């Protein structure tokens, strides 16, 4: 079972992502830790959520998981310069910019995003914007190829089930580095497994382990 081998931080990111999916949004979660590794903030993608639940943003195209985590962080209670952001998906340009502007310590992500991932922008910010001359924000990932494949499958299934206007064009970009994840995602959409698990109120750990069984 893959769930048991994951750190609590990545488990929480996936729980946030599954909650986002169950609310009708993209399966993406983010978590922030302080200098001691304690979890101090969390966020999920809420750009398509169907109703308010106390999150920073609902039905807002800017309501990405990373941004929601940064906005819910109690900055008075932590040393922001020592905080780390864990993002399930490679951050987009907006979220890389927000993390850089926040002057956090580092970013880690679990799955590459060939369509919107913008980790390469950190060097450009440092080169062209005087405010960021203090150094390049480290953006690291992914480290677990099996986990990356499973998480990509979730993204691909969501692209199809949430009716992206040009799903296969987007999937070709999104999953260009993780083709096995794309294939599993299309299979999930065809079988309807994720939708059924959503209706059955299954946990994130159940979902990930079930996907892992299909992979091995």
């Amino acid at each position: 079972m893959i769930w048991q081998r994951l750190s609590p931080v990545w488990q929480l990111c996936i729980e946030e992502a599954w909650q986002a999916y169950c609310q009708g949004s993209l399966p993406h979660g983010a978590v922030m830790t302080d200098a001691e590794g304690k979890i101090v903030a969390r966020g999920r993608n809420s750009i398509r959520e169907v109703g308010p639940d106390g999150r920073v943003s609902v039905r807002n195209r800017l309501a990405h998981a990373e941004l929601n985590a940064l906005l819910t962080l109690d900055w008075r209670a932590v040393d922001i310069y020592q905080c780390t952001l864990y993002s399930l998906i490679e951050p987009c340009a907006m979220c890389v910019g927000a993390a850089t502007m926040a002057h956090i310590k580092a970013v880690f992500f679990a799955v590459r995003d060939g369509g919107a991932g913008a980790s390469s922008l950190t060097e450009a910010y440092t080169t062209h914007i005087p405010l960021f001359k203090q150094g390049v924000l480290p953006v690291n990932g992914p480290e677990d190829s099996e986990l990356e494949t499973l998480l990509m499958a979730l993204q691909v299934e969501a692209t199809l089930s949430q009716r992206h206007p040009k799903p296969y064009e987007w999937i070709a970009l999104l999953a260009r580095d993780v083709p096995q994840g794309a294939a599993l995602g299309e299979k999930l959409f065809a079988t309807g497994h994720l939708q059924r698990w959503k209706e059955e109120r299954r946990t994130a750990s159940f979902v990930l382990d079930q996907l892992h069984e299909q992979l091995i």
Side-chain angles (χ1 to χ4, degrees):
M1 296 295 182
I2 192 172
W3 184 263
Q4 293 302 319
R5 84 171 189 229
L6 300 179
S7 70
V9 168
W10 288 122
Q11 288 179 346
L12 185 54
C13 282
I14 295 168
E15 288 175 355
E16 287 288 323
W18 179 238
Q19 181 63 23
Y21 181 90
C22 290
Q23 292 291 331
S25 199
L26 300 176
H28 183 17
V31 165
M32 295 195 69
T33 60
D34 64 11
E36 287 73 45
K38 177 184 176 182
I39 293 171
V40 292
R42 57 198 287 181
R44 69 171 183 261
N45 187 292
S46 56
I47 64 174
R48 297 174 184 161
E49 286 201 11
V50 296
D53 66 346
R55 292 285 169 174
V56 172
S57 302
V58 174
R59 286 195 176 277
N60 182 327
R61 292 189 68 181
L62 302 184
H64 290 198
E66 304 95 324
L67 202 59
N68 282 338
L70 284 163
L71 289 172
T72 56
L73 177 68
D74 183 356
W75 290 41
R76 298 166 298 180
V78 299
D79 178 358
I80 190 64
Y81 295 96
Q82 296 302 315
C83 285
T84 299
L85 174 65
Y86 292 85
S87 172
L88 213 60
I89 307 170
E90 181 182 359
C92 69
M94 176 182 71
C95 293
V96 167
T100 303
M101 182 68 75
H103 298 291
I104 64 175
K105 182 179 179 180
V107 174
F108 290 86
F109 64 90
V111 55
R112 289 166 287 180
D113 181 346
S119 57
S120 61
L121 286 180
T122 54
E123 290 189 13
Y125 287 144
T126 303
T127 301
H128 299 293
I129 304 176
L131 177 64
F132 304 133
K133 291 296 184 182
Q134 78 280 359
V136 177
L137 170 68
V139 180
N140 311 284
E143 297 178 349
D144 186 325
S145 59
E146 277 193 327
L147 179 61
E148 182 179 31
T149 297
L150 300 181
L151 296 177
M152 180 56 71
L154 291 178
Q155 306 309 312
V156 169
E157 197 280 348
T159 299
L160 294 170
S161 65
Q162 295 178 14
R163 299 181 180 180
H164 190 283
K166 296 181 178 180
Y168 289 102
E169 290 183 23
W170 180 249
I171 288 170
L173 291 173
L174 174 70
R176 63 188 179 190
D177 298 314
V178 197
Q180 189 177 9
L184 180 56
E186 291 184 30
K187 178 181 176 182
L188 285 173
F189 176 68
T191 60
H193 285 331
L194 281 188
Q195 291 296 316
R196 185 170 72 252
W197 295 335
K198 170 184 172 180
E199 293 169 1
E200 294 172 350
R201 299 182 182 275
R202 297 291 189 174
T203 64
S205 59
F206 172 89
V207 171
L208 197 70
D209 282 340
Q210 289 296 311
L211 295 185
H212 190 231
E213 287 187 6
Q214 295 187 38
L215 188 63
I216 59 179

